């Protein structure tokens, strides 16, 4: 009922909890003017820092053999479709590889292109045993190419001190491995400078 002590006590308690920053005198003053604005205070929740998922370490990748190709899969014929896809990718990248295309434009595109699936040949090397190796690039790392030859042999060829030739639709491009020691993802953003002569 109106005017009861219980009702008054409830209203006072309710107003104190709704307006914790105001004193009792201020609440009474508000009540006399019959203008009550209830406030609600949210408790600030501590922001939880999102932890970025950590990738595998180099040691873990080696133990899990993530980058190893099984011996029964080391066959040249298996990767010929990959080479055909790569050729189409380069044609699209170079806008058709027309006969009137400028060689330096094609060279610039090839320097930044993904080479997985390309057929390359080692034309010069400080190690004579590498010269003449021809095959499809299966994997490119920072310092080496993994190449599958027509004899179904997987060769690991270092980029350092080797020159590779790459031919597509009559365009022959040379890759100086010593200046090419980058991962494929890093190479796409790198600016290559023109140089007159390059030594092995």
């Amino acid at each position: 009922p109106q005017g009861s002590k219980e009702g008054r006590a409830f209203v006072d308690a309710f107003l104190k909890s709704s307006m914790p920053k105001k004193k009792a005198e201020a609440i009474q003053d508000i009540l006399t003017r019959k203008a009550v604005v209830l406030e609600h205070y949210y408790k600030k929740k501590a922001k939880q820092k999102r932890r970025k998922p950590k990738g595998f370490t180099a040691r873990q990748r080696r133990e899990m053999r993530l980058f190893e190709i099984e011996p029964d899969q080391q066959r040249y014929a298996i990767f010929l479709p990959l080479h055909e896809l790569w050729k189409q990718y380069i044609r699209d990248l170079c806008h058709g590889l027309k006969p009137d295309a400028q060689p330096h434009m094609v060279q610039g595109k090839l320097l930044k292109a993904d080479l997985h699936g390309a057929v390359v040949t080692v034309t010069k090397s400080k190690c004579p045993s590498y010269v003449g190796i021809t095959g499809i690039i299966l994997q490119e790392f920072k310092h080496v190419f993994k190449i599958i030859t027509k004899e179904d042999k997987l060769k690991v060829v270092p980029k350092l001190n080797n020159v590779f030739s790459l031919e597509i639709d009559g365009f022959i491009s040379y890759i100086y491995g010593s200046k090419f020691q980058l991962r494929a993802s890093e190479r796409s953003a790198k600016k290559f400078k023109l140089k007159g002569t390059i030594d092995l």
Side-chain angles (χ1 to χ4, degrees):
Q2 260 184 342
S4 68
K5 290 182 180 180
E6 292 82 359
R8 181 81 181 180
F10 171 79
V11 171
D12 289 341
F14 179 73
L15 291 174
K16 281 181 183 179
S17 63
S18 300
M19 297 183 285
K21 292 184 179 181
K22 296 187 183 297
K23 294 182 179 179
E25 294 81 8
I27 293 174
Q28 289 299 326
D29 183 54
I30 291 170
L31 285 173
T32 55
R33 289 188 278 111
K34 295 183 181 179
V36 179
V37 179
L38 302 180
E39 299 174 14
H40 181 68
Y41 293 90
Y42 289 97
K43 290 183 180 179
K44 290 185 178 179
K45 293 181 179 179
K47 290 184 179 179
Q48 294 180 350
K49 291 183 179 179
R50 289 185 179 180
R51 292 184 179 179
K52 292 183 179 179
K54 292 183 178 179
F56 294 119
T57 63
R59 184 177 179 179
Q60 287 173 327
R61 287 197 292 267
R62 283 195 300 271
E63 289 173 353
M64 295 172 71
R65 303 175 67 183
L66 289 179
F67 297 116
E68 290 188 23
I69 300 169
E70 297 296 329
D72 59 331
Q73 298 295 317
Q74 295 176 13
R75 287 187 286 134
Y76 187 83
I78 291 177
F79 298 99
L80 281 173
L82 176 64
H83 175 57
E84 294 300 320
L85 285 172
W86 181 83
K87 286 198 294 186
Q88 189 57 50
Y89 155 67
I90 293 298
R91 289 180 188 124
D92 294 342
L93 186 68
C94 299
H95 308 294
L97 282 174
K98 297 175 183 177
D100 58 346
Q102 296 179 351
H104 70 272
M105 184 276 291
V106 177
Q107 177 75 18
K109 296 281 188 182
L110 287 174
L111 284 172
K112 296 188 177 187
D114 191 325
L115 297 179
H116 293 90
V119 172
V120 294
T121 302
V122 182
T123 54
K124 292 181 183 178
S125 177
K126 284 191 176 180
C127 180
S129 62
Y130 288 127
V131 176
I133 293 176
T134 302
I136 299 172
I137 295 177
L138 299 188
Q139 292 173 313
E140 180 189 356
F141 298 96
K142 186 173 182 178
H143 298 291
V144 298
F145 286 124
K146 282 190 177 181
I147 298 171
I148 187 77
T149 66
K150 289 183 178 179
E151 293 77 27
D152 296 337
K153 291 182 179 179
L154 187 66
K155 302 282 187 180
V156 180
V157 183
K159 294 179 180 179
L160 186 66
N161 299 328
N162 285 323
V163 179
F164 304 86
S165 67
L166 186 152
E167 189 271 335
I168 177 170
D169 293 350
F171 287 92
I172 299 174
S173 181
Y174 292 94
I175 297 170
Y176 287 80
S178 300
K179 308 296 179 184
F180 211 69
Q181 297 188 81
L182 294 163
R183 294 182 180 89
S185 57
E186 296 170 351
R187 197 176 67 243
S188 61
K190 181 177 172 60
K191 290 183 179 180
F192 291 91
K193 294 179 181 179
L194 292 172
K195 295 185 180 180
T197 56
I198 302 175
D199 295 329
L200 279 176

